[in-house]
Amino acid sequence: MAGKFHLKKAKDGQFHFNLLAGNGEIILTSELYKAKDSALNGIESVRKNVARDGAFEAKDGSGGKPYFVLKASNGQVVGQSQMYASATSRDAGIQSVISSAPGAALVDES
């Protein structure tokens, strides 16, 4: 099963999206956007930037749990992963985003 972008509207009226892997797990979450068009541009930015060298930044969160962020070419974060149990799992998450995002369908739930 292919990946999907799920576009949603938050309770405060802002928009955000999740990228789901083929197994339905959330592998990337966006920031909040004030306008739907901005969220759609964020999805396109993810699709474009996954193939760019240096787009992913591996990080360690509180308690040393690994996660990653995806950055646009201007350095702005366009998505963040969940916290992972290990660096190996985080790296597999990055690979999942790289393989899922370019052809992922858009499911508009806003």
Side-chain angles (χ1 to χ4, degrees), residues 35-67:
K36 183 175 181 176
D37 283 345
S38 297
L40 291 170
N41 287 339
I43 290 170
E44 289 310 310
S45 181
V46 170
R47 287 187 170 133
K48 181 174 78 174
N49 283 290
V50 293
R52 187 175 57 78
D53 285 341
F56 290 93
E57 186 176 325
K59 296 184 164 232
D60 291 317
S62 58
K65 292 207 172 211
Y67 72 102

mmCIF file of all heavy atoms in Angstrom, residues 35-67:
data_model
loop_
_atom_site.group_PDB
_atom_site.id
_atom_site.type_symbol
_atom_site.label_atom_id
_atom_site.label_comp_id
_atom_site.label_asym_id
_atom_site.label_seq_id
_atom_site.Cartn_x
_atom_site.Cartn_y
_atom_site.Cartn_z
ATOM 1 N N ALA A 35 -3.382 29.021 6.579
ATOM 2 C CA ALA A 35 -4.184 28.881 5.355
ATOM 3 C C ALA A 35 -3.998 27.490 4.755
ATOM 4 O O ALA A 35 -2.908 26.911 4.811
ATOM 5 C CB ALA A 35 -3.769 29.937 4.336
ATOM 6 N N LYS A 36 -5.056 26.992 4.161
ATOM 7 C CA LYS A 36 -5.020 25.671 3.524
ATOM 8 C C LYS A 36 -3.990 25.644 2.398
ATOM 9 O O LYS A 36 -3.258 24.663 2.249
ATOM 10 C CB LYS A 36 -6.409 25.317 2.992
ATOM 11 C CG LYS A 36 -6.491 23.937 2.378
ATOM 12 C CD LYS A 36 -7.921 23.608 1.978
ATOM 13 C CE LYS A 36 -8.024 22.218 1.389
ATOM 14 N NZ LYS A 36 -9.427 21.874 1.089
ATOM 15 N N ASP A 37 -3.917 26.706 1.604
ATOM 16 C CA ASP A 37 -2.950 26.757 0.508
ATOM 17 C C ASP A 37 -1.522 26.633 1.027
ATOM 18 O O ASP A 37 -0.670 26.027 0.383
ATOM 19 C CB ASP A 37 -3.097 28.051 -0.301
ATOM 20 C CG ASP A 37 -4.287 28.010 -1.245
ATOM 21 O OD1 ASP A 37 -4.836 26.908 -1.489
ATOM 22 O OD2 ASP A 37 -4.670 29.075 -1.750
ATOM 23 N N SER A 38 -1.250 27.199 2.199
ATOM 24 C CA SER A 38 0.086 27.098 2.788
ATOM 25 C C SER A 38 0.398 25.654 3.173
ATOM 26 O O SER A 38 1.514 25.174 2.970
ATOM 27 C CB SER A 38 0.203 27.999 4.014
ATOM 28 O OG SER A 38 0.036 29.350 3.654
ATOM 29 N N ALA A 39 -0.598 24.954 3.710
ATOM 30 C CA ALA A 39 -0.411 23.537 4.051
ATOM 31 C C ALA A 39 -0.174 22.709 2.790
ATOM 32 O O ALA A 39 0.679 21.816 2.768
ATOM 33 C CB ALA A 39 -1.613 23.016 4.819
ATOM 34 N N LEU A 40 -0.909 23.011 1.724
ATOM 35 C CA LEU A 40 -0.708 22.299 0.455
ATOM 36 C C LEU A 40 0.691 22.574 -0.101
ATOM 37 O O LEU A 40 1.345 21.671 -0.634
ATOM 38 C CB LEU A 40 -1.783 22.698 -0.555
ATOM 39 C CG LEU A 40 -3.201 22.217 -0.226
ATOM 40 C CD1 LEU A 40 -4.219 22.868 -1.155
ATOM 41 C CD2 LEU A 40 -3.297 20.705 -0.285
ATOM 42 N N ASN A 41 1.165 23.811 0.054
ATOM 43 C CA ASN A 41 2.536 24.136 -0.353
ATOM 44 C C ASN A 41 3.546 23.361 0.497
ATOM 45 O O ASN A 41 4.599 22.948 0.003
ATOM 46 C CB ASN A 41 2.803 25.635 -0.242
ATOM 47 C CG ASN A 41 2.104 26.429 -1.321
ATOM 48 O OD1 ASN A 41 1.737 25.892 -2.365
ATOM 49 N ND2 ASN A 41 1.906 27.703 -1.067
ATOM 50 N N GLY A 42 3.227 23.153 1.771
ATOM 51 C CA GLY A 42 4.083 22.366 2.650
ATOM 52 C C GLY A 42 4.200 20.923 2.171
ATOM 53 O O GLY A 42 5.284 20.330 2.202
ATOM 54 N N ILE A 43 3.089 20.353 1.720
ATOM 55 C CA ILE A 43 3.102 18.988 1.181
ATOM 56 C C ILE A 43 4.001 18.921 -0.044
ATOM 57 O O ILE A 43 4.816 18.006 -0.186
ATOM 58 C CB ILE A 43 1.669 18.517 0.870
ATOM 59 C CG1 ILE A 43 0.907 18.294 2.178
ATOM 60 C CG2 ILE A 43 1.681 17.255 0.008
ATOM 61 C CD1 ILE A 43 -0.588 18.055 2.010
ATOM 62 N N GLU A 44 3.877 19.903 -0.924
ATOM 63 C CA GLU A 44 4.722 19.927 -2.123
ATOM 64 C C GLU A 44 6.194 20.096 -1.745
ATOM 65 O O GLU A 44 7.074 19.523 -2.389
ATOM 66 C CB GLU A 44 4.269 21.021 -3.088
ATOM 67 C CG GLU A 44 2.942 20.707 -3.759
ATOM 68 C CD GLU A 44 2.892 19.312 -4.385
ATOM 69 O OE1 GLU A 44 3.818 18.948 -5.137
ATOM 70 O OE2 GLU A 44 1.939 18.570 -4.100
ATOM 71 N N SER A 45 6.456 20.855 -0.703
ATOM 72 C CA SER A 45 7.820 21.034 -0.236
ATOM 73 C C SER A 45 8.396 19.712 0.271
ATOM 74 O O SER A 45 9.565 19.398 0.020
ATOM 75 C CB SER A 45 7.866 22.095 0.869
ATOM 76 O OG SER A 45 9.184 22.290 1.316
ATOM 77 N N VAL A 46 7.589 18.931 0.970
ATOM 78 C CA VAL A 46 8.048 17.615 1.418
ATOM 79 C C VAL A 46 8.387 16.758 0.207
ATOM 80 O O VAL A 46 9.464 16.158 0.136
ATOM 81 C CB VAL A 46 6.976 16.908 2.285
ATOM 82 C CG1 VAL A 46 7.354 15.453 2.536
ATOM 83 C CG2 VAL A 46 6.785 17.647 3.603
ATOM 84 N N ARG A 47 7.474 16.704 -0.758
ATOM 85 C CA ARG A 47 7.711 15.890 -1.962
ATOM 86 C C ARG A 47 9.014 16.284 -2.656
ATOM 87 O O ARG A 47 9.759 15.434 -3.134
ATOM 88 C CB ARG A 47 6.546 16.031 -2.925
ATOM 89 C CG ARG A 47 5.303 15.316 -2.480
ATOM 90 C CD ARG A 47 4.241 15.355 -3.558
ATOM 91 N NE ARG A 47 3.158 14.464 -3.199
ATOM 92 C CZ ARG A 47 1.886 14.782 -3.254
ATOM 93 N NH1 ARG A 47 1.523 15.983 -3.664
ATOM 94 N NH2 ARG A 47 0.966 13.901 -2.918
ATOM 95 N N LYS A 48 9.257 17.574 -2.731
ATOM 96 C CA LYS A 48 10.427 18.077 -3.443
ATOM 97 C C LYS A 48 11.717 17.854 -2.646
ATOM 98 O O LYS A 48 12.748 17.493 -3.216
ATOM 99 C CB LYS A 48 10.233 19.571 -3.722
ATOM 100 C CG LYS A 48 11.372 20.214 -4.484
ATOM 101 C CD LYS A 48 11.053 21.650 -4.839
ATOM 102 C CE LYS A 48 11.244 22.551 -3.640
ATOM 103 N NZ LYS A 48 11.102 23.968 -3.932
ATOM 104 N N ASN A 49 11.669 18.066 -1.348
ATOM 105 C CA ASN A 49 12.891 18.081 -0.547
ATOM 106 C C ASN A 49 13.383 16.716 -0.096
ATOM 107 O O ASN A 49 14.540 16.595 0.297
ATOM 108 C CB ASN A 49 12.722 19.012 0.654
ATOM 109 C CG ASN A 49 12.846 20.461 0.240
ATOM 110 O OD1 ASN A 49 13.922 20.915 -0.112
ATOM 111 N ND2 ASN A 49 11.736 21.180 0.251
ATOM 112 N N VAL A 50 12.548 15.678 -0.159
ATOM 113 C CA VAL A 50 13.017 14.363 0.304
ATOM 114 C C VAL A 50 14.208 13.863 -0.509
ATOM 115 O O VAL A 50 15.012 13.077 -0.002
ATOM 116 C CB VAL A 50 11.902 13.288 0.324
ATOM 117 C CG1 VAL A 50 10.864 13.621 1.366
ATOM 118 C CG2 VAL A 50 11.290 13.082 -1.036
ATOM 119 N N ALA A 51 14.343 14.303 -1.748
ATOM 120 C CA ALA A 51 15.435 13.838 -2.607
ATOM 121 C C ALA A 51 16.688 14.708 -2.485
ATOM 122 O O ALA A 51 17.721 14.374 -3.048
ATOM 123 C CB ALA A 51 14.968 13.815 -4.058
ATOM 124 N N ARG A 52 16.589 15.798 -1.737
ATOM 125 C CA ARG A 52 17.703 16.743 -1.636
ATOM 126 C C ARG A 52 18.696 16.311 -0.564
ATOM 127 O O ARG A 52 18.318 15.982 0.558
ATOM 128 C CB ARG A 52 17.147 18.135 -1.305
ATOM 129 C CG ARG A 52 18.158 19.250 -1.341
ATOM 130 C CD ARG A 52 17.486 20.608 -1.123
ATOM 131 N NE ARG A 52 16.733 20.676 0.125
ATOM 132 C CZ ARG A 52 17.286 20.853 1.330
ATOM 133 N NH1 ARG A 52 18.585 20.965 1.462
ATOM 134 N NH2 ARG A 52 16.519 20.923 2.402
ATOM 135 N N ASP A 53 19.969 16.305 -0.911
ATOM 136 C CA ASP A 53 21.022 16.008 0.071
ATOM 137 C C ASP A 53 20.977 17.029 1.192
ATOM 138 O O ASP A 53 20.846 18.227 0.950
ATOM 139 C CB ASP A 53 22.403 16.041 -0.583
ATOM 140 C CG ASP A 53 22.682 14.824 -1.442
ATOM 141 O OD1 ASP A 53 21.991 13.796 -1.257
ATOM 142 O OD2 ASP A 53 23.569 14.902 -2.296
ATOM 143 N N GLY A 54 21.059 16.557 2.420
ATOM 144 C CA GLY A 54 21.078 17.442 3.574
ATOM 145 C C GLY A 54 19.715 17.894 4.042
ATOM 146 O O GLY A 54 19.620 18.703 4.960
ATOM 147 N N ALA A 55 18.646 17.371 3.457
ATOM 148 C CA ALA A 55 17.296 17.803 3.839
ATOM 149 C C ALA A 55 16.871 17.246 5.199
ATOM 150 O O ALA A 55 16.093 17.870 5.909
ATOM 151 C CB ALA A 55 16.285 17.387 2.774
ATOM 152 N N PHE A 56 17.387 16.083 5.543
ATOM 153 C CA PHE A 56 17.023 15.462 6.816
ATOM 154 C C PHE A 56 18.083 15.758 7.863
ATOM 155 O O PHE A 56 19.275 15.677 7.599
ATOM 156 C CB PHE A 56 16.885 13.943 6.655
ATOM 157 C CG PHE A 56 15.686 13.539 5.861
ATOM 158 C CD1 PHE A 56 15.790 13.342 4.489
ATOM 159 C CD2 PHE A 56 14.459 13.368 6.466
ATOM 160 C CE1 PHE A 56 14.688 12.972 3.744
ATOM 161 C CE2 PHE A 56 13.347 12.997 5.721
ATOM 162 C CZ PHE A 56 13.464 12.803 4.366
ATOM 163 N N GLU A 57 17.612 16.097 9.060
ATOM 164 C CA GLU A 57 18.513 16.333 10.176
ATOM 165 C C GLU A 57 18.140 15.378 11.302
ATOM 166 O O GLU A 57 17.018 15.433 11.822
ATOM 167 C CB GLU A 57 18.396 17.782 10.638
ATOM 168 C CG GLU A 57 19.393 18.157 11.703
ATOM 169 C CD GLU A 57 19.312 19.636 12.069
ATOM 170 O OE1 GLU A 57 19.045 20.467 11.189
ATOM 171 O OE2 GLU A 57 19.530 19.943 13.260
ATOM 172 N N ALA A 58 19.068 14.494 11.643
ATOM 173 C CA ALA A 58 18.868 13.560 12.746
ATOM 174 C C ALA A 58 19.122 14.291 14.056
ATOM 175 O O ALA A 58 20.109 15.024 14.179
ATOM 176 C CB ALA A 58 19.804 12.373 12.598
ATOM 177 N N LYS A 59 18.227 14.105 15.021
ATOM 178 C CA LYS A 59 18.332 14.807 16.298
ATOM 179 C C LYS A 59 18.066 13.836 17.439
ATOM 180 O O LYS A 59 17.555 12.738 17.230
ATOM 181 C CB LYS A 59 17.312 15.946 16.358
ATOM 182 C CG LYS A 59 17.546 17.029 15.336
ATOM 183 C CD LYS A 59 16.548 18.160 15.534
ATOM 184 C CE LYS A 59 17.014 19.387 14.805
ATOM 185 N NZ LYS A 59 17.046 20.549 15.652
ATOM 186 N N ASP A 60 18.371 14.295 18.641
ATOM 187 C CA ASP A 60 18.029 13.563 19.854
ATOM 188 C C ASP A 60 17.161 14.457 20.707
ATOM 189 O O ASP A 60 17.518 15.601 20.982
ATOM 190 C CB ASP A 60 19.283 13.159 20.633
ATOM 191 C CG ASP A 60 20.083 12.090 19.907
ATOM 192 O OD1 ASP A 60 19.457 11.144 19.386
ATOM 193 O OD2 ASP A 60 21.317 12.204 19.854
ATOM 194 N N GLY A 61 16.027 13.908 21.110
ATOM 195 C CA GLY A 61 15.090 14.673 21.920
ATOM 196 C C GLY A 61 15.342 14.472 23.400
ATOM 197 O O GLY A 61 16.383 13.965 23.820
ATOM 198 N N SER A 62 14.358 14.860 24.189
ATOM 199 C CA SER A 62 14.473 14.713 25.637
ATOM 200 C C SER A 62 14.650 13.232 25.974
ATOM 201 O O SER A 62 14.027 12.361 25.381
ATOM 202 C CB SER A 62 13.222 15.274 26.315
ATOM 203 O OG SER A 62 12.073 14.622 25.846
ATOM 204 N N GLY A 63 15.516 12.977 26.895
ATOM 205 C CA GLY A 63 15.791 11.597 27.276
ATOM 206 C C GLY A 63 16.633 10.850 26.258
ATOM 207 O O GLY A 63 16.752 9.637 26.327
ATOM 208 N N GLY A 64 17.176 11.588 25.274
ATOM 209 C CA GLY A 64 18.039 10.965 24.283
ATOM 210 C C GLY A 64 17.325 10.190 23.197
ATOM 211 O O GLY A 64 17.956 9.486 22.422
ATOM 212 N N LYS A 65 16.004 10.322 23.125
ATOM 213 C CA LYS A 65 15.262 9.597 22.085
ATOM 214 C C LYS A 65 15.495 10.240 20.723
ATOM 215 O O LYS A 65 15.335 11.439 20.556
ATOM 216 C CB LYS A 65 13.777 9.565 22.403
ATOM 217 C CG LYS A 65 13.474 8.728 23.622
ATOM 218 C CD LYS A 65 12.084 8.185 23.549
ATOM 219 C CE LYS A 65 11.915 7.208 24.694
ATOM 220 N NZ LYS A 65 11.008 6.166 24.375
ATOM 221 N N PRO A 66 15.865 9.421 19.719
ATOM 222 C CA PRO A 66 16.145 9.961 18.394
ATOM 223 C C PRO A 66 14.875 10.312 17.609
ATOM 224 O O PRO A 66 13.836 9.665 17.769
ATOM 225 C CB PRO A 66 16.916 8.849 17.692
ATOM 226 C CG PRO A 66 16.855 7.658 18.560
ATOM 227 C CD PRO A 66 16.196 8.024 19.842
ATOM 228 N N TYR A 67 14.984 11.346 16.793
ATOM 229 C CA TYR A 67 13.934 11.736 15.856
ATOM 230 C C TYR A 67 14.604 12.488 14.723
ATOM 231 O O TYR A 67 15.819 12.670 14.726
ATOM 232 C CB TYR A 67 12.847 12.571 16.540
ATOM 233 C CG TYR A 67 13.247 13.975 16.919
ATOM 234 C CD1 TYR A 67 12.845 15.072 16.151
ATOM 235 C CD2 TYR A 67 14.008 14.226 18.061
ATOM 236 C CE1 TYR A 67 13.203 16.365 16.506
ATOM 237 C CE2 TYR A 67 14.365 15.520 18.422
ATOM 238 C CZ TYR A 67 13.960 16.584 17.643
ATOM 239 O OH TYR A 67 14.311 17.858 17.980
#
